[in-house]
Amino acid sequence: MELRYEKAIKDRQAFIEKILISKSNKKIIVAGPGTGKTYLFKKILKGKNNTLTLTFVNALVEDLSLELCGISEVKTLHSFALSIFKKNINNEARIFPKLSEVIKQDAAVLLDKNIDFDYIFHNMDDTNEHVKFYMERREYYHDYYGYSDIIYQIVKHLENTSKDIPIYEQVLVDEFQDFNMLEVFLIDKLAEKNPILIVGDDDQALYDFKCADKKHIRQRHCEPNSEYEAFWLPFCSRCTSVIIKAVNDIILMAQRQGHLKGRIAKEYKYFETENKDKESSQNPKIFYKNLFPAQISWFIQKQIEEIAKEVKAEFSVLIISPYKKQSSQIVDGLKKRFGFKNIKSAEDKIEKEPTLLDGLKILMNDDKSNLGWRIVLKQQLMNNDIDFKAVIKETNKKDSKSIYDLIGSNIKKEVKAMLKILKSIENDKEVDKADIMGILDKLNIDVLEKGKELLSEEIASNYQGSNIPGIKRIPIKATTIQSSKGLAAEYVFITHFDDMFYLDKGQVKDKNICNILVALTRAKKRVYLISTDTKKEPIFMKWIDSQCIDRRI
């Protein structure tokens, strides 16, 4: 038995050593979930002082910044672009994530067109006539930039001024399968002057909404004329053997049915260790349960109790749902009905529509900001579209005035009063109760509903249905599939596991396959698949060997 484990370690190390001894300045590695990317990163960075690690997934930045603390600067792509922009172009530059939506709304007024500016930038569409309009409007908003245009402007700057390309001993790039053309251009500019190592997995491509394309990783890994030396990491040390088998079953069936064309050929193997074999023996099946949606919270609570009886120690739980609304309903049920205290909802996509609070926060730092007043004005004139359009048209004239100078005194007075209250709150000063209630009302924050939720959770904390009080403190994360990237837990519940949610209008698409592969591989020990369709079993269930499934739960 020990010889088998020693062989597994030796086999895995052989793949890592090939990467470490390579003299190539451009390396690309295909690494599936749990195959040791962070371990590899530490090995690559060992002995180096000036290094950079880039990704765009916030959860990964948070984890990697701790794992690589002291040995690498870890940044998202837009925060890296902003740092270079501040150093070489405009030290006052700031990010406002919703800027492209603000300018999209301006374009609807000034051009009478619905323009997706993020799409233009993500695809590096330099010749598009609307780039000039965007830049002119962005200039009117002074030092603010959006996520996509800050990267676009840095790419254009580095194309014209290569001396400003920063120099590192090593650049690491993670999650490359979800990069779009704009982001790839930035990496290519860095690669001109830096040793670069790219990591990704085309089986985990989830972010097509931002024009990401897995062709970029496939081209660099597979094409004969690629400048990159190709490697892979096949051994998964995260998941139990039954999960690895289920993943491979799905991939095999997908390919047999004509899906995943162009997929990088690679193995995804279970990594044999004494501890992982024990966990695999204790968790030999994936559980499947059909329930009504209202029963899901109850079922998860019951299973957490059963797990607690098994392990007799703290454990982690991850709940993955197709949509944020479903995730929120489950969290509400666990909190309010069963008194769970330690539930965190993972960050989801930022809402595109700028809010009144967004504008006020900008004005708290700069009370004459065109962007701040523009956002506030839109919200204040929500029911008066004609006045709003008139102001926007005035801002587009030659030698245009600031928005502050264009709006009426009544709006200014009202906004300044709100700012005074917010600054008092910020500085922990006493604020009149009526003033607080008034601004909460303007911000559409329902105090009664919030209070009701708080009371409901407090009442639920007295829930006596469980004989194991400690389970209320079990760490639980609830999220959507896209937001689950970078997360892992010992026990994973995949909810609403039905064709209506996991397929594309009843058809299997490559992105649906990637979604289920990512969801399954968040689990370290056990997976629960929870279906809510009582009439039809999900297609993906038929793709997994029936010997891997336990329906008796």
Side-chain angles (χ1 to χ4, degrees), residues 96-106 115-119 121 134 145-149 352 354:
F96 180 64
K98 304 175 185 179
L99 183 65
S100 61
E101 181 62 23
V102 170
I103 298 179
K104 180 179 180 179
Q105 293 172 1
D106 290 357
I115 304 167
D116 188 341
F117 290 104
D118 284 329
Y119 181 88
F121 292 128
Y134 186 97
Y145 298 80
Y147 279 161
S148 56
D149 67 273
K352 284 189 174 183

Side-chain angles (χ1 to χ4, degrees), residues 250-269:
I250 291 171
I251 291 170
L252 180 61
M253 185 61 72
Q255 291 178 317
R256 283 177 178 173
Q257 295 192 12
H259 303 293
L260 303 180
K261 291 179 180 177
R263 176 182 181 265
I264 297 172
K266 54 188 175 291
E267 291 183 291
Y268 189 52
K269 296 181 176 182

Side-chain angles (χ1 to χ4, degrees), residues 15 18-19 22 27-30 221 229-233:
F15 283 92
K18 286 180 182 179
I19 300 167
S22 169
K27 305 181 184 74
I28 187 160
I29 302 162
V30 171
H221 194 275
E229 186 175 0
F231 303 91
W232 59 91
L233 296 176

Side-chain angles (χ1 to χ4, degrees), residues 426-444:
E426 180 185 33
N427 296 322
D428 201 24
K429 293 182 179 179
E430 188 173 338
V431 182
D432 186 79
K433 182 179 178 181
D435 288 339
I436 294 177
M437 296 300 291
I439 198 167
L440 289 173
D441 183 58
K442 289 183 173 69
L443 295 173
N444 292 320

Side-chain angles (χ1 to χ4, degrees), residues 111-264:
L111 304 178
D112 196 26
K113 291 182 178 179
N114 181 21
I115 304 167
D116 188 341
F117 290 104
D118 284 329
Y119 181 88
I120 293 171
F121 292 128
H122 288 159
N123 289 285
M124 283 296 290
D125 188 2
D126 294 338
T127 61
N128 192 293
E129 60 179 317
H130 300 307
V131 172
K132 183 174 182 291
F133 173 85
Y134 186 97
M135 293 306 174
E136 288 173 351
R137 292 306 295 175
R138 196 222 58 74
E139 186 69 24
Y140 182 75
Y141 297 126
H142 298 301
D143 297 324
Y144 286 94
Y145 298 80
Y147 279 161
S148 56
D149 67 273
I150 190 70
I151 298 175
Y152 177 84
Q153 298 213 57
I154 273 297
V155 168
K156 302 307 292 182
H157 175 74
L158 296 180
E159 284 179 345
N160 297 321
T161 316
S162 61
K163 68 178 180 63
D164 288 342
I165 297 174
I167 305 299
Y168 296 93
E169 287 184 73
Q170 180 70 59
V171 175
L172 304 178
V173 181
D174 198 11
E175 301 292 337
F176 192 68
Q177 77 280 349
D178 281 317
F179 278 40
N180 56 42
M181 183 68 76
L182 172 63
E183 294 159 344
V184 169
F185 266 62
L186 177 59
I187 300 307
D188 286 346
K189 295 310 296 180
L190 286 173
E192 289 179 11
K193 292 190 176 183
N194 293 281
I196 198 151
L197 183 144
I198 291 173
V199 181
D201 177 18
D202 56 340
D203 290 339
Q204 298 185 74
L206 300 187
Y207 293 86
D208 58 347
F209 66 86
K210 70 179 188 77
C211 305
D213 196 329
K214 46 189 173 285
K215 74 177 182 182
H216 301 302
I217 189 171
R218 289 174 174 174
Q219 288 170 348
R220 284 159 179 74
H221 194 275
C222 301
E223 291 188 359
N225 59 349
S226 172
E227 296 178 320
Y228 285 80
E229 186 175 0
F231 303 91
W232 59 91
L233 296 176
F235 290 101
C236 174
S237 56
R238 175 192 297 166
C239 304
T240 53
S241 58
V242 71
I243 297 171
I244 301 295
K245 184 177 185 330
V247 166
N248 284 313
D249 285 348
I250 291 171
I251 291 170
L252 180 61
M253 185 61 72
Q255 291 178 317
R256 283 177 178 173
Q257 295 192 12
H259 303 293
L260 303 180
K261 291 179 180 177
R263 176 182 181 265
I264 297 172

Side-chain angles (χ1 to χ4, degrees), residues 513-530:
I513 299 166
C514 291
N515 281 344
I516 190 60
L517 295 180
V518 167
L520 283 170
T521 53
R522 299 310 91 196
K524 298 178 181 180
K525 293 183 178 180
R526 185 185 301 166
V527 173
Y528 297 83
L529 302 174
I530 304 172

Side-chain angles (χ1 to χ4, degrees), residues 181-367:
M181 183 68 76
L182 172 63
E183 294 159 344
V184 169
F185 266 62
L186 177 59
I187 300 307
D188 286 346
K189 295 310 296 180
L190 286 173
E192 289 179 11
K193 292 190 176 183
N194 293 281
I196 198 151
L197 183 144
I198 291 173
V199 181
D201 177 18
D202 56 340
D203 290 339
Q204 298 185 74
L206 300 187
Y207 293 86
D208 58 347
F209 66 86
K210 70 179 188 77
C211 305
D213 196 329
K214 46 189 173 285
K215 74 177 182 182
H216 301 302
I217 189 171
R218 289 174 174 174
Q219 288 170 348
R220 284 159 179 74
H221 194 275
C222 301
E223 291 188 359
N225 59 349
S226 172
E227 296 178 320
Y228 285 80
E229 186 175 0
F231 303 91
W232 59 91
L233 296 176
F235 290 101
C236 174
S237 56
R238 175 192 297 166
C239 304
T240 53
S241 58
V242 71
I243 297 171
I244 301 295
K245 184 177 185 330
V247 166
N248 284 313
D249 285 348
I250 291 171
I251 291 170
L252 180 61
M253 185 61 72
Q255 291 178 317
R256 283 177 178 173
Q257 295 192 12
H259 303 293
L260 303 180
K261 291 179 180 177
R263 176 182 181 265
I264 297 172
K266 54 188 175 291
E267 291 183 291
Y268 189 52
K269 296 181 176 182
Y270 169 68
F271 182 58
E272 296 178 301
T273 66
E274 184 175 1
N275 184 58
K276 214 66 205 175
D277 276 358
K278 182 180 178 181
E279 290 176 355
S280 294
S281 177
Q282 292 170 339
N283 301 280
K285 303 279 187 178
I286 292 172
F287 288 111
Y288 173 77
K289 185 72 172 178
N290 188 273
L291 298 165
F292 292 112
Q295 295 177 303
I296 294 176
S297 296
W298 164 81
F299 175 77
I300 292 174
Q301 180 260 342
K302 284 296 182 184
Q303 296 314 308
I304 289 175
E305 283 190 1
E306 292 303 316
I307 294 167
K309 292 174 184 177
E310 289 178 29
V311 301
K312 296 178 177 58
E314 188 174 275
F315 52 90
S316 57
V317 173
L318 177 62
I319 304 168
I320 302 176
S321 303
Y323 299 110
K324 189 173 183 178
K325 182 178 180 180
Q326 296 161 333
S327 181
S328 297
Q329 289 171 342
I330 294 168
V331 168
D332 284 348
L334 289 171
K335 285 182 175 180
K336 296 175 182 178
R337 291 175 59 195
F338 304 111
F340 282 89
K341 292 283 191 181
N342 194 10
I343 305 180
K344 179 181 178 182
S345 294
E347 178 185 348
D348 211 28
K349 287 192 299 180
I350 294 172
E351 297 295 332
K352 284 189 174 183
E353 180 69 31
T355 66
L356 176 58
L357 186 57
D358 288 331
L360 291 172
K361 285 164 67 176
I362 291 172
L363 293 176
M364 287 175 71
N365 294 315
D366 178 2
D367 62 3

